[in-house]
Structures are given as structure tokens and as C-alpha cells.
Amino acid sequence: MSLAAETTAPPAARRGGGLTGDRSVTLGLSALAALPILLFLLLPLTGILLRGFETPDGFGIGNFTETFGAERFWKLVYNSIAMSLTATLAAVGLAYFYAYALQRAKIPFKPFLRIAVLTPLFAPSLVQAQGLILLLGRNGVLNRFLGFDIDIYGFWGTAIANALYAFPYAYLILSAALAVADARLYESAEALGAGPLRIFRDVTLPATRFGLAAAIFVVFTLVMTDFGNPMVIGGDFSVLATEVYNQVIGQAQFGLGAVIGIVLLVPAILAKLIEKRISRKQHASVTAQSKPLVVKPSLRRDVAFSVYAYVVVALILSVLAIVVVASFVRLWPYNMSFTLKHYEFDVQNGTAPLWNSVGVSLATAIVGVAITGLTAIVVQKFRNPLTGPLSLLAILPAAVPGMVLGLGYVLTFNEPSNPLNVLYGSFALIVILSVYYNHAHAFLISSTSLKQIGSTFDEASTTLGGSAVTTLRKVTLPLLWPTLLGVGVFYFMRTMVSLSAVIFLVTPSTQLAAVSVLQLSDRGAVNQAAAFSVCIMAIVIACLLLVRTILWLAGAKNVTLIR
């Protein structure tokens, strides 16, 4: 560079400032983001792998041969796959046509229909099983009061409960897929004389095949690794997820539990990799020349899909509504008089688990926003040799089932030789687990928002002499705060309803509300379990409404809180 060029260069450029010039700062922030991922994600996963090979006779494959050689194990594998496939087909099939109804038909009260089917996200997964038992169980409404003889326990109860639990996740994916369409294809098909069914088969299905495949893999992973519903409604029907719990909690067989955890980890990772590859192609059929599809009224179609949509909503809401009803009756189903006594929480630990959950969820939201925001900013804004591996590690938790990660925390942090053993049995470790269990989704939300912030802001800051930290503080964070607030709500909501991830870490002094629901249901305290579930749902909904009000008052009305 000539002397004249050097003299006229901006001050920041001469002293190595800016987003790419402050290498020591950016490398330091990258290392700060990477270190906790290594400690609280890779280390626990490594702990599971190592414990799977630890036997009384030393390091070997004895746990694997014992597990794989047992007839019961292969029965559990069959049960898990059969139940997961059934629940996946039901959830994705129902969600596809529900999303189609809302995106491609004229239906009254669409905002209500969109929110109503997302209500299962506001409650622990086992609430679906609770509701089904209250409706269809031995002492359920249909059997006791209407004279039916339905046996909901076992395979079908578990599959239906898991389908209802996974329905919102499938709907969100498929609704996004069906929202994108090129009207020119439909106009051409109509001009050639194709009818509605032919157009659906030859145009709509091919255009949404990537979203459909992504929904299948996401739902299959969710139900394959779900723990709450099989525990509550499974009866004698067991799956791999419940077997991990029984091996670890019931028999203290950590080695065998680790083996089954590894088995659960493999299909989850494979499904996530395939889903990730497929989802990248979701919008491949839409180009810059595409014409948005405008839905035209059709009486027969609109009436048919309106009936379908409201039947699905009625099914989903009835399962949740019966739980709310049970929380207000004196003794289900023998004394149906109204009472508020179950909200006095005259049970072991009283209201402590509920307030513990609120505290843990708030702490998770704060810590999660800080860690996830930092990681996303480092990956998207600070390019250096660490950002590539860090980006991969940041999305790794998406392929790790909550129960497997929780087991990894037990095996790793319960080890006296581990310097971090001081965290074991504390709320702090539960908070950390909750942060990294939900890290991938929160990271992707933050990264997507950062990509929408043009590089011209960073370049202008650098030109004016701003360092990387100054640009981050005065440019990036003020533009990013609505998204980070949304990420905080996501963390809060997911932590309030989380069960499988924390089931191994809770103690009598660190009890959480979702775990209390499971324990109360397990010992037959139906009304108290329902009251806990209702309180969890009420707190999550109140949080969503509060933050939505804050965003509305701040003028940030386009931030999505439910993802």
C-alpha cells in the first residue's frame, strides 16, 4: 500500500479494527462460545459412549452383547418402531390436510384455528396421555358415563397420545411448505382441464414433498424418543425410552441404560441429517418469476375443509379441556362436584415444584439468550477458523434426544473425579442442560435473524472507526433484540414443559412441575396432576401474552414467538 493510500484509509482500517480486523477479540469471543459447548454437550455425549463400554470386567462390549442378546430388547425395538411409525403417519397425515385447509381454503376464524392446534406446545407431553385416560380410560367419560368399553392403554393409547403431542410440530413445518406456491403452475393445470384431485396429486404434493419428508423425520424422532406418554398410558406396553428410565432409575444399571441411550441416539442423528438435507430444498420450485397463489372461493371445498379443521381442533382441545375439568372436580370420577382444593397443592413439596420450574425457566431464558446470541453472532459476523466447527456444534443438540442428553449429564457430572461435579444436584446444572437441549433451535432462530441484517450496517460502523465490540453493541444488538426476546420466550416455554431431558437430574430439593405431574399420575393422584398441568399451561400462556404485549408496544409486531 502506498503512503498516500495508507494516510487516507479510515482509522479503523489502519489499526485493524472492524468486524474482521479485531482478530484477538473475535477469536476470544469464538473460544468463549465454544468452551461451554465442549463442556456441556460433547463431554456428556462422550460420557454415554464410554459408559456403554464399561463393564465389571473392564473396558469391553459386554453391555452391548448382553443387551442385543436379550429377546426383550428386540421386542422393545419393535414396539418403538411400530408405535413411532403409527404415530408419525397419523400426526403428519392429519397435519398435512389441516395445514392445507388453512393455507388453501377459505375458512372462518383462521387465526383461532392456527393458535388452537398449537396448545399442546404449552403443556408437558404427557398431558396428551392424561387427557386420553380421562376421556377413554377405565374411569374415563366415555366408559364410565356413556357405557362404552374402550381399552386405551398400551400400543394404541401411546400412539394416539404421541400423535397428538407431535401434531403441532408437523403442522408448523407443513404450513410453511404449503404457504409457498407458484400460481402459474395451477393456472396451467386448470387450463389443461385438470380437476382438483389431479392438481393436488401432480402439483401440490410434488411441490411440498420436501416439507412433507422433513415433517416425517422430525415427528418420528420426537415420538421415538418421547418418554412421558408411554409412562402414563403405556401400561404393559414398553418402548426403548421407558426402558432407559427403568434401567437407570429402577435398577441403577447405568451401563445398560447407556447402551439403549446410544441405540436411541443413532436413529435420531440419522433422521436429523436426512431432514436437514431435505429441508434445504424446500423452496427449490419457487423462483423470482413466481406468481403468488391467490385462493379462490369454492363452496364444496371450503365447507369440507372447514368441517375437517374444526373436528381436528375439537379433538385436540377436548383432550386438554378434560384435564382442566378434572383439576376442578373433587374426586374424579366418583365425586364431580366443583372444588378448588387441588390448587392448594396439598401434596409432597406443595407449590415448590411449580415455582422451581418458573425460576429454572427464567434462568434458562436469560442464560440461553446470552449463550445462543453470542454463538450466532460469532458464527454469522466474526469469520475465523473457529466459526465453522462452532456452527456444526451449535446445531448438534437437534439430533440428541432429551433423555439421552440428561443421562449423559448424570454419567458425566456425577463422577467425583470431575471438577464440575460440584454442579451435580443443583438447579444450575438443570439450567445448563435446558440451555443446550434447546440450543440448536434457538441458534437457528438467531442466525436467521442475523442474516437478515444487511452487511452495510457493519461496513458503515467500520468505516466510522467502530471496533467489533462497538459495532456489536451499537448496531447488531439494537437490531436483534426483538428476536432475542423471542428466543428467551422459546427457552422459557420449552423448559417449563420439559420432562425427558430433566427426569434424571431432579432431586427432592430440585423438583420441577412437569416431573411432579408424572409422579402424581403414576400414583393415581389424577386431580392433583391435572392441577399441576393446568398451572404449567397457564404460566406459559401468560408469558406469551406478556411478551407479545411488550413487542407490540415497542413496534416489533412481526416477531414469531411460537416456532
Side-chain angles (χ1 to χ4, degrees), residues 277-299:
R277 183 179 182 85
I278 288 174
S279 62
R280 290 175 182 170
K281 304 177 182 180
Q282 173 61 47
H283 304 299
S285 61
V286 180
T287 65
Q289 293 76 34
S290 296
K291 180 180 175 183
L293 178 65
V294 177
V295 177
K296 300 176 183 178
S298 172
L299 182 61

Side-chain angles (χ1 to χ4, degrees), residues 208-494:
T208 57
R209 64 188 184 277
F210 300 120
L212 188 59
I216 289 172
F217 286 114
V218 168
V219 171
F220 182 83
T221 302
L222 280 173
V223 300
M224 180 80 171
T225 58
D226 178 64
F227 161 75
N229 285 319
M231 283 293 294
V232 173
I233 203 171
D236 294 331
F237 178 80
S238 297
V239 293
L240 288 171
T242 56
E243 186 67 10
V244 174
Y245 179 80
N246 292 332
Q247 290 288 348
V248 173
I249 298 298
Q251 304 178 38
Q253 297 288 337
F254 291 97
L256 297 180
V259 170
I260 300 175
I262 294 170
V263 172
L264 279 175
L265 189 61
V266 172
I269 291 176
L270 290 176
K272 187 60 187 177
L273 291 174
I274 297 172
E275 179 267 329
K276 188 71 176 176
R277 183 179 182 85
I278 288 174
S279 62
R280 290 175 182 170
K281 304 177 182 180
Q282 173 61 47
H283 304 299
S285 61
V286 180
T287 65
Q289 293 76 34
S290 296
K291 180 180 175 183
L293 178 65
V294 177
V295 177
K296 300 176 183 178
S298 172
L299 182 61
R300 182 183 299 178
R301 180 204 64 199
D302 295 343
V303 169
F305 277 112
S306 295
V307 171
Y308 174 79
Y310 279 97
V311 167
V312 171
V313 163
L315 173 63
I316 291 174
L317 293 184
S318 64
V319 172
L320 296 176
I322 198 68
V323 175
V324 176
V325 170
S327 71
F328 290 106
V329 302
R330 189 164 297 276
L331 181 62
W332 183 279
Y334 307 106
N335 186 343
M336 303 294 286
S337 59
F338 178 83
T339 182
L340 292 174
K341 74 169 188 175
H342 306 301
Y343 288 91
E344 298 173 0
F345 297 109
D346 186 19
V347 293
Q348 185 179 8
N349 295 325
T351 60
L354 195 61
W355 296 117
N356 289 346
S357 288
V358 173
V360 167
S361 299
L362 285 173
T364 300
I366 295 170
V367 175
V369 166
I371 289 178
T372 306
L374 174 63
T375 306
I377 289 170
V378 165
V379 169
Q380 297 300 327
K381 298 293 184 180
F382 302 159
R383 297 295 180 181
N384 60 64
L386 293 179
T387 54
L390 181 58
S391 177
L392 179 63
L393 289 174
I395 62 173
L396 179 60
V400 182
M403 175 169 278
V404 175
L405 187 59
L407 178 60
Y409 270 55
V410 173
L411 299 177
T412 301
F413 299 108
N414 194 27
E415 180 62 44
S417 60
N418 188 337
L420 296 174
N421 172 256
V422 66
L423 294 173
Y424 192 76
S426 67
F427 284 117
L429 191 61
I430 296 176
V431 169
I432 294 170
L433 169 63
S434 300
V435 167
Y436 282 100
Y437 172 48
N438 299 294
H439 188 277
H441 199 157
F443 170 79
L444 291 174
I445 295 171
S446 303
S447 295
T448 301
S449 184
L450 280 167
K451 289 177 182 178
Q452 295 172 351
I453 300 176
S455 60
T456 54
F457 295 101
D458 299 334
E459 294 167 359
S461 176
T462 302
T463 301
L464 294 172
S467 66
V469 175
T470 301
T471 302
L472 174 63
R473 180 169 56 88
K474 293 188 175 182
V475 178
T476 305
L477 289 180
L479 293 172
L480 192 62
W481 79 263
T483 297
L484 293 180
L485 185 58
V487 168
V489 172
F490 166 77
Y491 269 120
F492 182 90
M493 181 174 71
R494 293 294 298 160

